[in-house]
Amino acid sequence: MKDLTPQSGDALLIVDLQNDFLPGGSLAVPHGDQVIAPLKRYADFFRSASLPIFASRDWHPETHCSFEEQGGPWPPHCIQGTEGADFAAELNLADTVVISKAQTEEADAYSAFQGTDLDSRLKEKGVRRLFIGGLATDYCVLNTVRDAVKNTFEVVLLQDAIRAVNVNPEDEARALNEMRELGCRFATVNDICLDPAQASALLTDLYQLTMLKSYNDQGMTRQAVFEFFVRDLPPHRNFLMCAGVEPVLRYLEALHFSPQELDALKRSGRFPQELLDSLRTFRFTGDVDAMPEGTVFFANEPVLRITAPLPEAQFVETRIINLLHYSILVASKAARCVLAAQGRGRLVDFGLRRAHGAEAGWLAARSSFLAGFDGTATVLAEATDNIPVYGTMAHSYIQAHDSEEAAFYEFCRSWPQNTTLLLDTYDVFEATESVIRLSRKLEKNGIRIQGVRLDSGDMQEQAREVRRRLDEAGLEHIKIFVSGNLDEHAIAEYMANDIPVEGFGIGTRLVVSDDAPFLECAYKLQEYDGKPRRKRSKGKATLPGAKQVFRLRDAGGRFANDQLGLAAEELEGETLIAPMMRGGRRLHPSVSLQTLRAHAQLQLMALPEPLRSLGTAAPSYPVTVSENLKELTQKVDRQTHASSLGLNGSVFRTIADFFRKAF
Amino acid sequence: MKDLTPQSGDALLIVDLQNDFLPGGSLAVPHGDQVIAPLKRYADFFRSASLPIFASRDWHPETHCSFEEQGGPWPPHCIQGTEGADFAAELNLADTVVISKAQTEEADAYSAFQGTDLDSRLKEKGVRRLFIGGLATDYCVLNTVRDAVKNTFEVVLLQDAIRAVNVNPEDEARALNEMRELGCRFATVNDICLDPAQASALLTDLYQLTMLKSYNDQGMTRQAVFEFFVRDLPPHRNFLMCAGVEPVLRYLEALHFSPQELDALKRSGRFPQELLDSLRTFRFTGDVDAMPEGTVFFANEPVLRITAPLPEAQFVETRIINLLHYSILVASKAARCVLAAQGRGRLVDFGLRRAHGAEAGWLAARSSFLAGFDGTATVLAEATDNIPVYGTMAHSYIQAHDSEEAAFYEFCRSWPQNTTLLLDTYDVFEATESVIRLSRKLEKNGIRIQGVRLDSGDMQEQAREVRRRLDEAGLEHIKIFVSGNLDEHAIAEYMANDIPVEGFGIGTRLVVSDDAPFLECAYKLQEYDGKPRRKRSKGKATLPGAKQVFRLRDAGGRFANDQLGLAAEELEGETLIAPMMRGGRRLHPSVSLQTLRAHAQLQLMALPEPLRSLGTAAPSYPVTVSENLKELTQKVDRQTHASSLGLNGSVFRTIADFFRKAF
């Protein structure tokens, strides 16, 4: 049986993913927006595998026969050139073939094949199997599948990327049964795409669920604003770098409780059926505003803001912190390594094995590359984000051979294009002599030794001596690479001492951020139902309201000053927080890690000189608080105090009111 | 459509998972052993959900008609009472109904229904849907499925838990098609079980794959011995605790490259087709010996040993270190907290949000519970390992309400059985007064406030004062719980100062092991093809050969001395390394975390008094090296040196030889 992995001869067909079929549209399919995230994943996968993608659309004239006014069954929808006919905004349509159907008044078509040239265009491209998802299961998807089978295509139905209208409650089940009987196979994202950051919805704190019930009990489901920020910079750190936003967006898009997870909650006996029922349809439907990844930021600046019904905004706390905290930790440490290397050495993440678990290894590869590393040793990072991967051999490879020189020789024969040899298994200088001897032998076979790696002992001393011996032997082209216990300070020393090395493998100390293995970060409620809130605990107090960071630069383009203000204010400077998601849907296709990395590089270039040092800059970077924000804070304190005496009623005005009256 | 989650009315049917059908058996199904790991997962799941499990078996007389001697098609197999008829050893048969078939000479039966009372026993238990896996797809599984459908059961075929004989190469495909046409649905472990520690096979270092190719090129596929150990204890640490072995065993059982992963490797363009082909069937077929989780150990002691063909033993390095390193890190830190608490306070892991990624959060819950914690806040840990979960409310819950007292009141109404209230959102003592007022009000409704939590400021001082006020109000039953920035030293202070608290939430500093966020650990080749090996790099040298740890106790049962010897030696003392897996298969069903936790508690009780202190014990625990191991080390050095001059040939003798001649 052919496996489910898309391969040559396969194509993706996205059926009618248009605004009018999405919530808010004129012919909305219930929960139709839930297909967007998986379809994006499928599309990314097909695109990265250079396999064709087709997207069908209804493309009706204003007086189409299917509209009620013309006696048809449906309200007007997908009228040519209107916003309702546009594809979902977050879909990346690069390299997508668009198939328009039912374009004339009298022609109706549920199937993407009907009255279109889809069949011939697919066959032109040698397509024999179609992966089909979109809207709606019981109309256009079903009819498209019928025709696909009739036209001899194999069909894989993307089960997590379809939703039904269910005019009659059994329509969906009937459609699924028919498609199964037609020989369709069923697949989900897990069968097809690699997703290292996928975590169970149960990966959360118990109190998120207990609070959720209590909010539901009280009907406290109005909009809440939460912000994620870091309270203090760790000792000797002058800045932090934003990272982890894309994983957070993916998490929010995909968040739901699977039947297995609901079942596990039920078995715990801890939760009333009512809560479990509400979790069955639980999704994130809120807004996200955040700094783009790679942005430099400072203490108390909001990095990411969630605006959503209180139970949702509360529930996502644990995983949002879990993803942002670690991503920022590594990106910030990696940025210091990048500054220390001054562009003079290749930086590669070697940390997977001592990262704290699987996801940390993957996030570390991603975050360090974002911050300016050249690559990683972690294979998965190439598969998921196209991060360059590097790797050579382990000591065990040398040890397994009867002699070191034999090991070197065999490795070069296996990988003639990738010949970096590890020198320190026994004795670095003897190994260097082996390299010199071998090099002559191998050159005759057209194989060039490209590099050597040192991994223990006094590597600065070793590097000088190895360089001297290699140069003396006329092997100036062999590069020296070092690894083992390195961090930004070690890199800085190599640079200061002008040690002849051309690359650094940075492992453990990067991925555990050993000098600061955690950040004092928090995700705090700033506003509920339009009323600003703050926490006043000693040492953990917060500023209320939805906030924005306004950054000013000096004449040379360097960062000069940040001001923390209210999101509703207009102050001078660039605003660092940008809209990312509205109503649970992204505003834009996701940006490649390579683009974010370029942004990070520009941010590092704009750092004021004192902040580039590895020690503590004095004075630290100035972050001020706007007058409006200060006043709001005082006002909240007065009012919270007043209201903390009674059990009932609100004495607050909305933040909008507050501004109307206060200024 | 009914979802795939096993529920009331469902049963698991394991078909003929018997030794004779497994590799090495008289009628072995190719790769039949690969169904064991998923079937164990399914069985664990059904058992934990209290759903029935049935296991069928061939149970033949010696002269059964299906045997060749009797003119049948098969060699003798599954003869009653023989080892070949036994179920796979690693299957836990608790609560399993065994169905024996083809028990008489003349009766043959491929189907588990044929000539058995399976149908009536299933219907007795109200079973309507069967989840079926086992051996072999094209014989007993197929025939069982046919009868199940005939007897009106719905069938879910466990796609990852079946393997075919393929007498004719198309048999498997034909059987799968027939079962699909019969209306079977197909599922895999991912559709049914939660697996937080499942990670992509690509979560590895590139060099593991480059070395693999080179080993294959040279035919270097003989047995290698690798050991995982920690070189040095971190500063101020007196011992470490073994953890992570069960996740490693699960990883090794499940290890394979999925079609998507192979495809990703292919798309990278980095690997020759030959290597990709070899990865398609790549599995771990080796042996594992390890300390049971919860065992206390010291520097340079092997914790886990892998004995396997070199390419396999090498490839698993990255993920084995990744799992063991972090699990040990947290278990060791948690053990210190347990010692500090002296059994006088409940310890709960609160660390998920600041753990380094998803898996770290889950592993931290698991490792801290192993080491003696009472529970965790992480919901997933209850679902996967039955770890008690605890949780109350966040500051945001208080802030979202117009007054703190209203928040307390509403929470108690939502969770009358779970009333621990957070005091420090605004002012701890005002909050205490609210609790006192509310408590009277709630008592009338039969609700009792059980506890309060402090999370910031000078919590020792606060705890005393809150206790005083509560006691004065006659609320002695309300317990005080503290969290926020705690670690073993903080706990010790609370104990020393006799602070009236009854529980500790230990978060960040536990899960990042802030005083020692990494260990100097390694996974090193000790022997290849019977020849001992060692690394001599400065500061990173290793002792050669497969080793064992021999531990002596004093008269009081406390640990007195460890001796590092060769695995082949017999020295005095308990041996800490035990066999866990042979030929890629576990020797025993896995042990519950609760049992391992009991072992850990006994280990901590046996720690010598000076090692129980949080400071550095002087002298440190004595670990000596056996004479044989010392001699072997010297011998290897002499011989490695000798052979490092030539490219060819082996001058080593096997380790067995070595001992035969040397002693």
Side-chain angles (χ1 to χ4, degrees):
Chain A
M1 186 163 45
K2 198 153 137 199
D3 70 55
L4 286 170
T5 308
Q7 48 202 272
S8 168
D10 292 342
L12 175 65
L13 173 55
I14 300 173
V15 175
D16 299 8
L17 192 59
Q18 293 168 275
N19 289 329
D20 271 343
F21 296 129
L22 294 170
S26 66
L27 185 45
V29 179
H31 305 297
D33 51 336
Q34 294 175 1
V35 308
I36 299 174
L39 278 173
K40 276 176 49 204
R41 304 275 318 283
Y42 290 118
D44 286 348
F45 187 91
F46 274 75
R47 195 170 294 116
S48 73
S50 300
L51 294 171
I53 304 173
F54 291 78
S56 70
R57 62 177 178 186
D58 267 4
W59 197 242
H60 298 324
E62 270 180 48
T63 52
H64 189 251
C65 61
S66 75
F67 299 170
E68 282 154 354
E69 285 183 13
Q70 272 62 243
W74 307 117
H77 63 276
C78 300
I79 296 170
Q80 295 167 14
T82 63
E83 209 182 301
D86 284 350
F87 289 110
E90 52 268 68
L91 210 62
N92 176 351
L93 289 170
D95 312 317
T96 300
V97 180
V98 173
I99 300 289
S100 302
K101 61 191 170 81
Q103 302 189 63
T104 59
E105 206 174 297
E106 66 287 352
D108 200 12
Y110 288 145
S111 160
F113 288 92
Q114 197 178 333
T116 69
D117 58 354
L118 177 58
D119 183 63
S120 61
R121 295 185 73 167
L122 288 168
K123 286 178 176 157
E124 237 163 56
K125 295 206 182 207
V127 174
R128 291 180 302 276
R129 183 166 68 162
L130 279 173
F131 289 66
I132 298 178
L135 300 174
T137 314
D138 39 356
Y139 290 92
C140 295
V141 170
L142 172 63
N143 283 280
T144 300
V145 166
R146 282 181 185 149
D147 283 349
V149 171
K150 204 177 297 165
N151 293 358
T152 72
F153 293 99
E154 282 179 68
V155 174
V156 178
L157 191 67
L158 304 172
Q159 212 170 349
D160 48 359
I162 51 176
R163 287 294 181 281
V165 177
N166 277 330
V167 170
N168 307 303
E170 291 300 309
D171 285 356
E172 177 172 25
R174 212 173 295 143
L176 290 172
N177 276 333
E178 179 178 340
M179 292 190 279
R180 184 169 299 112
E181 277 162 19
L182 284 171
C184 287
R185 293 173 67 193
F186 289 67
T188 63
V189 157
N190 288 335
D191 297 319
I192 290 173
C193 308
L194 297 170
D195 188 357
Q198 194 195 41
S200 166
L202 301 189
L203 198 83
T204 191
D205 291 303
L206 178 60
Y207 76 10
Q208 308 295 6
L209 290 168
T210 55
M211 286 189 280
L212 207 132
K213 168 172 172 359
S214 189
Y215 289 144
N216 287 348
D217 287 351
Q218 300 169 66
M220 288 179 67
T221 55
R222 303 259 176 115
Q223 294 284 303
V225 176
F226 280 77
E227 286 175 350
F228 174 93
F229 58 96
V230 178
R231 283 186 223 282
D232 309 295
L233 298 184
H236 314 301
R237 297 294 190 95
N238 298 318
F239 67 91
L240 295 170
M241 179 174 278
C242 176
V245 175
E246 173 68 24
V248 164
L249 294 176
R250 275 190 230 163
Y251 160 68
L252 294 174
E253 283 184 312
L255 176 60
H256 71 285
F257 289 83
S258 72
Q260 300 96 284
E261 287 158 351
L262 290 168
D263 200 61
L265 291 179
K266 186 173 182 162
R267 273 183 285 128
S268 77
R270 190 184 302 282
F271 305 100
Q273 189 58 42
E274 194 183 292
L275 179 67
L276 298 174
D277 289 341
S278 80
L279 294 180
R280 204 171 296 279
T281 54
F282 185 85
R283 298 277 170 161
F284 180 76
T285 66
D287 301 343
V288 181
D289 296 83
M291 292 184 185
E293 294 189 81
T295 303
V296 161
F297 71 93
F298 303 94
N300 289 309
E301 295 184 345
V303 172
L304 180 137
R305 184 200 310 140
I306 297 287
T307 309
L310 180 57
E312 295 175 23
Q314 176 73 65
F315 180 83
V316 298
E317 172 184 35
T318 306
R319 180 69 169 148
I320 283 183
I321 299 179
N322 178 264
L323 284 167
L324 290 181
H325 169 263
Y326 182 63
S327 299
I328 290 169
L329 204 59
V330 175
S332 302
K333 180 94 171 167
R336 286 162 63 83
C337 295
V338 169
L339 291 174
Q342 303 166 28
R344 284 159 54 200
R346 174 187 289 171
L347 297 176
V348 178
D349 154 42
F350 268 22
L352 171 57
R353 62 190 56 198
R354 289 204 196 139
H356 292 179
E359 192 178 63
W362 178 78
L363 284 172
R366 183 183 183 280
S367 297
S368 57
F369 182 70
L370 166 73
F373 268 47
D374 296 281
T376 177
T378 302
V379 178
L380 185 59
E382 181 178 46
T384 59
D385 288 279
N386 234 341
I387 300 175
V389 290
Y390 295 92
T392 57
M393 62 176 63
H395 296 106
S396 50
Y397 182 86
I398 312 278
Q399 291 172 271
H401 288 79
D402 286 332
S403 87
E404 189 175 50
E405 201 164 321
F408 289 168
Y409 178 74
E410 294 296 344
F411 193 82
C412 293
R413 298 217 316 171
S414 283
W415 293 97
Q417 308 304 324
N418 176 20
T419 48
T420 298
L421 305 173
L422 181 57
L423 297 189
D424 73 321
T425 307
Y426 306 116
D427 179 285
V428 167
F429 303 122
E430 280 183 33
T432 307
E433 297 305 322
S434 291
V435 167
I436 292 169
R437 274 193 303 274
L438 256 185
S439 159
R440 298 192 182 116
K441 181 167 167 183
L442 287 166
E443 294 259 356
K444 286 180 204 145
N445 302 321
I447 298 173
R448 257 195 151 191
I449 296 176
Q450 296 158 337
V452 293
R453 175 159 76 97
L454 304 169
D455 187 55
S456 58
D458 180 348
M459 296 190 295
Q460 295 192 29
E461 205 45 59
Q462 289 170 15
R464 284 196 210 274
E465 176 63 17
V466 169
R467 182 77 276 155
R468 195 189 62 70
R469 294 192 188 200
L470 289 174
D471 288 354
E472 212 174 81
L475 298 172
E476 292 86 356
H477 67 274
I478 296 184
K479 296 182 172 163
I480 302 177
F481 197 68
V482 292
S483 59
N485 242 333
L486 300 177
D487 63 5
E488 66 269 40
H489 301 288
I491 298 171
E493 256 198 56
Y494 278 81
M495 294 300 149
N497 298 340
D498 222 4
I499 306 297
V501 304
E502 285 161 280
F504 300 88
I506 315 287
T508 307
R509 290 177 189 276
L510 168 71
V511 302
V512 307
S513 184
D514 71 321
D515 67 313
F518 66 92
L519 297 170
E520 284 296 350
C521 61
Y523 172 88
K524 290 293 170 192
L525 180 71
Q526 314 291 358
E527 190 182 307
Y528 176 59
D529 195 13
K531 298 164 211 159
R533 308 281 172 159
R534 69 181 290 246
K535 183 180 167 190
R536 294 196 306 270
S537 328
K538 209 175 158 183
K540 292 189 178 176
T542 60
L543 293 166
K547 290 179 283 296
Q548 177 59 280
V549 184
F550 301 88
R551 177 167 294 169
L552 294 175
R553 298 194 184 217
D554 66 16
R558 302 273 182 119
F559 304 153
N561 164 257
D562 284 7
Q563 190 173 185
L564 215 53
L566 292 161
E569 287 191 277
E570 290 200 11
L571 298 173
E572 219 188 335
E574 335 164 24
T575 53
L576 301 190
I577 307 279
M580 300 267 173
M581 186 180 267
R582 288 293 175 267
R585 290 176 50 193
R586 293 201 203 212
L587 296 174
H588 326 281
S590 53
V591 174
S592 79
L593 194 58
Q594 285 66 17
T595 304
L596 297 170
R597 182 172 184 268
H599 169 63
Q601 292 316 291
L602 292 172
Q603 289 276 305
L604 291 181
M605 283 170 61
L607 270 182
E609 207 50 49
L611 268 54
R612 305 170 69 87
S613 126
L614 299 183
T616 315
S620 61
Y621 184 78
V623 179
T624 57
V625 175
S626 79
E627 288 310 309
N628 288 340
L629 182 50
K630 279 184 201 160
E631 284 191 46
L632 179 65
T633 307
Q634 287 160 5
K635 189 127 186 173
V636 170
D637 282 357
R638 286 195 299 274
Q639 300 191 327
T640 313
H641 188 72
S643 76
S644 75
L645 302 174
L647 265 175
N648 51 2
S650 151
V651 294
F652 282 98
R653 292 187 184 84
T654 64
I655 194 165
D657 269 358
F658 178 76
F659 272 94
R660 209 172 303 129
K661 303 197 179 175
F663 309 110
Chain B
M1 189 161 48
K2 200 155 137 197
D3 71 54
L4 287 169
T5 309
Q7 49 204 269
S8 166
D10 292 343
L12 175 67
L13 174 55
I14 300 172
V15 176
D16 298 10
L17 192 60
Q18 294 169 276
N19 290 330
D20 270 344
F21 296 129
L22 295 169
S26 65
L27 185 45
V29 179
H31 305 295
D33 50 338
Q34 293 175 1
V35 309
I36 299 174
L39 278 173
K40 274 176 49 202
R41 303 276 319 283
Y42 291 117
D44 286 346
F45 186 90
F46 274 74
R47 195 170 294 115
S48 72
S50 301
L51 294 171
I53 304 172
F54 291 80
S56 70
R57 60 176 181 188
D58 268 3
W59 197 243
H60 298 322
E62 271 180 49
T63 52
H64 190 252
C65 61
S66 76
F67 299 169
E68 281 154 353
E69 285 184 10
Q70 272 64 245
W74 308 117
H77 62 277
C78 300
I79 296 170
Q80 295 166 15
T82 63
E83 209 183 304
D86 284 350
F87 290 110
E90 53 269 68
L91 209 61
N92 175 353
L93 289 170
D95 312 316
T96 299
V97 180
V98 173
I99 300 289
S100 301
K101 58 189 171 85
Q103 302 188 64
T104 59
E105 205 175 297
E106 66 288 353
D108 201 11
Y110 288 145
S111 161
F113 288 91
Q114 198 177 334
T116 69
D117 58 355
L118 177 58
D119 183 61
S120 60
R121 295 185 73 165
L122 288 169
K123 286 178 178 156
E124 236 162 58
K125 295 207 181 210
V127 174
R128 291 179 302 277
R129 184 166 68 163
L130 279 173
F131 289 67
I132 299 179
L135 299 173
T137 313
D138 39 357
Y139 290 92
C140 294
V141 170
L142 172 63
N143 284 279
T144 300
V145 166
R146 281 180 185 153
D147 282 348
V149 171
K150 203 177 298 166
N151 294 357
T152 73
F153 293 98
E154 284 178 65
V155 174
V156 177
L157 191 67
L158 302 172
Q159 210 169 351
D160 49 359
I162 51 176
R163 288 294 182 280
V165 178
N166 278 329
V167 171
N168 307 304
E170 291 300 310
D171 284 355
E172 177 172 27
R174 214 173 293 144
L176 290 173
N177 277 332
E178 177 176 342
M179 291 190 279
R180 184 169 298 111
E181 278 162 18
L182 284 171
C184 287
R185 294 174 67 192
F186 289 67
T188 63
V189 158
N190 288 334
D191 297 318
I192 289 173
C193 308
L194 297 170
D195 188 357
Q198 192 195 41
S200 166
L202 302 189
L203 199 82
T204 191
D205 291 303
L206 178 60
Y207 76 10
Q208 307 296 6
L209 290 169
T210 55
M211 285 189 281
L212 207 134
K213 171 178 174 348
S214 188
Y215 289 143
N216 287 348
D217 288 351
Q218 299 169 67
M220 287 179 70
T221 55
R222 301 261 177 117
Q223 294 285 302
V225 176
F226 281 77
E227 286 174 350
F228 175 92
F229 59 96
V230 178
R231 283 186 223 282
D232 308 295
L233 297 185
H236 314 301
R237 298 291 192 96
N238 297 319
F239 66 91
L240 295 169
M241 178 175 278
C242 175
V245 175
E246 173 68 25
V248 164
L249 295 175
R250 277 192 229 161
Y251 160 68
L252 294 173
E253 282 182 314
L255 176 61
H256 71 285
F257 289 83
S258 72
Q260 299 97 285
E261 288 158 351
L262 290 167
D263 198 61
L265 291 179
K266 186 172 184 163
R267 273 182 287 129
S268 78
R270 190 185 303 283
F271 305 101
Q273 188 58 42
E274 194 183 295
L275 179 66
L276 298 175
D277 289 342
S278 79
L279 293 181
R280 205 169 294 277
T281 54
F282 186 84
R283 298 278 171 161
F284 181 76
T285 66
D287 301 344
V288 181
D289 296 81
M291 293 184 183
E293 294 189 83
T295 303
V296 161
F297 72 92
F298 303 93
N300 290 310
E301 295 183 346
V303 172
L304 180 139
R305 183 198 312 140
I306 296 288
T307 309
L310 181 57
E312 295 174 24
Q314 177 71 66
F315 180 82
V316 299
E317 172 183 37
T318 305
R319 180 67 170 150
I320 284 183
I321 298 179
N322 178 264
L323 283 167
L324 291 181
H325 168 262
Y326 182 64
S327 299
I328 291 169
L329 204 58
V330 174
S332 303
K333 180 93 170 166
R336 286 162 64 83
C337 295
V338 169
L339 292 174
Q342 303 166 28
R344 285 159 53 201
R346 173 187 288 171
L347 297 177
V348 179
D349 154 42
F350 269 21
L352 171 57
R353 62 191 57 197
R354 291 206 194 135
H356 292 178
E359 192 177 64
W362 179 77
L363 285 172
R366 183 183 185 280
S367 297
S368 57
F369 182 70
L370 166 74
F373 268 47
D374 296 282
T376 177
T378 302
V379 179
L380 185 60
E382 181 178 46
T384 59
D385 287 279
N386 234 342
I387 299 175
V389 288
Y390 295 92
T392 58
M393 62 175 65
H395 296 106
S396 50
Y397 181 85
I398 311 278
Q399 292 172 271
H401 288 79
D402 286 332
S403 88
E404 189 174 51
E405 201 164 319
F408 289 169
Y409 179 73
E410 294 296 344
F411 193 82
C412 292
R413 297 215 320 171
S414 284
W415 292 99
Q417 307 305 324
N418 176 19
T419 48
T420 297
L421 304 173
L422 181 57
L423 297 189
D424 74 321
T425 306
Y426 306 115
D427 179 284
V428 167
F429 303 123
E430 280 182 33
T432 308
E433 296 306 321
S434 292
V435 167
I436 292 169
R437 272 194 302 276
L438 255 185
S439 159
R440 294 186 189 125
K441 182 169 166 180
L442 288 167
E443 294 260 356
K444 287 181 206 148
N445 302 322
I447 299 173
R448 259 199 149 186
I449 297 176
Q450 295 160 337
V452 293
R453 176 159 73 97
L454 305 169
D455 188 52
S456 58
D458 180 348
M459 296 189 294
Q460 297 192 26
E461 205 46 59
Q462 289 169 15
R464 283 196 210 273
E465 176 61 16
V466 169
R467 183 75 274 155
R468 197 188 61 71
R469 294 190 188 203
L470 290 175
D471 289 354
E472 214 173 79
L475 299 171
E476 292 86 356
H477 67 274
I478 296 184
K479 297 183 171 165
I480 302 176
F481 198 68
V482 292
S483 59
N485 242 333
L486 300 177
D487 63 4
E488 66 269 38
H489 301 288
I491 297 171
E493 255 197 57
Y494 277 81
M495 294 300 149
N497 298 337
D498 221 3
I499 306 295
V501 303
E502 287 163 276
F504 300 88
I506 315 287
T508 307
R509 291 178 189 276
L510 167 71
V511 302
V512 307
S513 184
D514 70 322
D515 67 311
F518 66 91
L519 298 170
E520 284 296 349
C521 61
Y523 173 88
K524 290 291 170 195
L525 181 70
Q526 313 291 359
E527 191 181 307
Y528 176 59
D529 196 12
K531 299 165 211 155
R533 307 284 171 158
R534 69 181 289 246
K535 183 179 164 189
R536 294 196 307 269
S537 328
K538 209 173 157 188
K540 294 188 179 179
T542 60
L543 293 166
K547 290 179 283 296
Q548 177 59 278
V549 184
F550 302 87
R551 178 167 294 170
L552 294 175
R553 299 196 183 216
D554 66 17
R558 303 275 183 118
F559 305 152
N561 164 256
D562 285 5
Q563 189 171 188
L564 216 52
L566 291 161
E569 288 192 276
E570 289 198 13
L571 297 174
E572 217 187 335
E574 332 161 27
T575 52
L576 301 191
I577 307 276
M580 301 267 175
M581 187 181 264
R582 288 292 176 267
R585 291 177 51 193
R586 292 200 204 213
L587 296 174
H588 326 281
S590 54
V591 174
S592 78
L593 194 57
Q594 284 67 15
T595 305
L596 297 170
R597 184 172 182 269
H599 169 63
Q601 293 314 293
L602 293 172
Q603 289 277 304
L604 291 181
M605 283 169 61
L607 270 183
E609 207 50 48
L611 270 55
R612 304 171 69 87
S613 127
L614 299 183
T616 315
S620 61
Y621 185 80
V623 179
T624 57
V625 175
S626 79
E627 287 310 309
N628 287 341
L629 182 49
K630 281 184 201 160
E631 285 191 46
L632 179 64
T633 306
Q634 288 161 4
K635 190 128 185 172
V636 170
D637 283 356
R638 285 195 299 276
Q639 298 190 329
T640 312
H641 188 73
S643 76
S644 76
L645 301 175
L647 266 176
N648 51 2
S650 152
V651 293
F652 283 96
R653 291 186 183 85
T654 66
I655 194 166
D657 268 358
F658 178 77
F659 272 95
R660 210 173 303 129
K661 302 200 178 171
F663 309 107

